[in-house]
Amino acid sequence: MEVLRLIFNRGRRRLWTSGSSDKNKAMVEQLERCGIVQSKRVKEVMEAIDRGLFVPAGSGSPYHDSPMSIGYNATISAPHMHATCLELLEKHLQPGMRTLDVGSGTGYLTACFAMMVGPQGRVVGVEHIPELVSFSIDNIKRSAAAPLLDNGSLSMHAADGRQGWPEMAPYDAIHVGAAAPEIPQSLLDQLKPGGKLVIPVGTVFQELKVIDKNPDGSISVRDETSVRYVPLTSKAAQLKAY
Ligand code: SAH
């Protein structure tokens, strides 16, 4: 039995990168030198969550600043995009706060969110490809965020994220990891007054939009930067050419 387990584990190690905390730390330090990582908390969380544990092996170095394919016509975003979104949402990721991550893919950023809000907080990841949901859960279980999955403060779900996740609403922070043709009303509805939504919007040309719900319920929108994300769409449309 033990021998079988060893063989199985050896096989798994060949399938997925094993992660390297030194290289991960160097990646975060480089993002800090570029001014993309600015806050101490974002730095600590990106150092604690090893990106190498979230990337399929054979697709290049997980620590290079570029997006990588994760199958199913999806990608893990580049480290500088993850850092940018963590910095944009930092004040809305305080201990005890609630966060929704739509298009959670590998689970990397969802795990970072969970570390930011801690065991008293609540983070929900929604991803519409069930295989990616299983993949993300396996990844998180091997990461520093595993206890947060165990205690229920972090949960991952297979569903259409365009509807958000009303069960846990309202949220202090909502992040969307895929580009929507327009800002989904359901996500605005699930944002707390005082909450912040970060979402790429557009088709060919996309802008990362930062949306604040003001205390009176009105909305302020600004463009942060031009981006290129996979579309927030139906499962059938995403898998059509796969
Ligand atoms: N933040 C993730 C991004 C993954 S790419 C990461 O860095 O790992 C975007 C993800 O959005 C893909 O996994 C894709 O399957 C998912 N997606 C696209 N449309 C969706 C929808 N309607 N509902 C839920 N997930 C969606």
Side-chain angles (χ1 to χ4, degrees), residues 74-77 82 103 105-106 127-128 132 159-161 177 230-233 238:
T75 54
I76 178 170
S77 301
H82 284 148
T106 61
E127 162 60 54
H128 68 167
L132 285 178
D160 186 345
V230 303
L232 184 74
T233 184
Q238 183 174 324

Side-chain angles (χ1 to χ4, degrees), residues 39-46 48-49 82-83 85-99 108-123 145 148 173:
S39 82
K40 190 165 170 280
R41 283 192 339 118
V42 168
K43 185 178 181 199
E44 282 169 359
V45 162
M46 288 189 75
I49 299 294
H82 284 148
C85 292
L86 285 166
E87 287 290 348
L88 286 169
L89 289 168
E90 199 265 336
K91 288 190 175 54
H92 296 77
L93 295 168
Q94 297 300 316
M97 287 188 167
R98 282 184 180 225
T99 308
Y108 170 82
L109 200 54
T110 333
C112 291
F113 291 150
M115 297 291 282
M116 301 279 281
V117 303
Q120 307 307 322
R122 189 71 176 83
V123 175
L148 300 165

Side-chain angles (χ1 to χ4, degrees), residues 5 9 34 67 73 87 133 137 170 195 202 204 222 224:
R5 193 175 302 131
N9 284 339
C34 298
N73 285 335
E87 287 290 348
V133 176
I137 291 171
V204 181
R222 71 174 177 83
E224 172 70 17

Side-chain angles (χ1 to χ4, degrees), residues 72-74 127-129 231 233-242:
Y72 309 96
N73 285 335
E127 162 60 54
H128 68 167
I129 307 289
T233 184
S234 70
K235 201 157 73 165
Q238 183 174 324
L239 296 178
K240 203 154 55 187
Y242 184 61

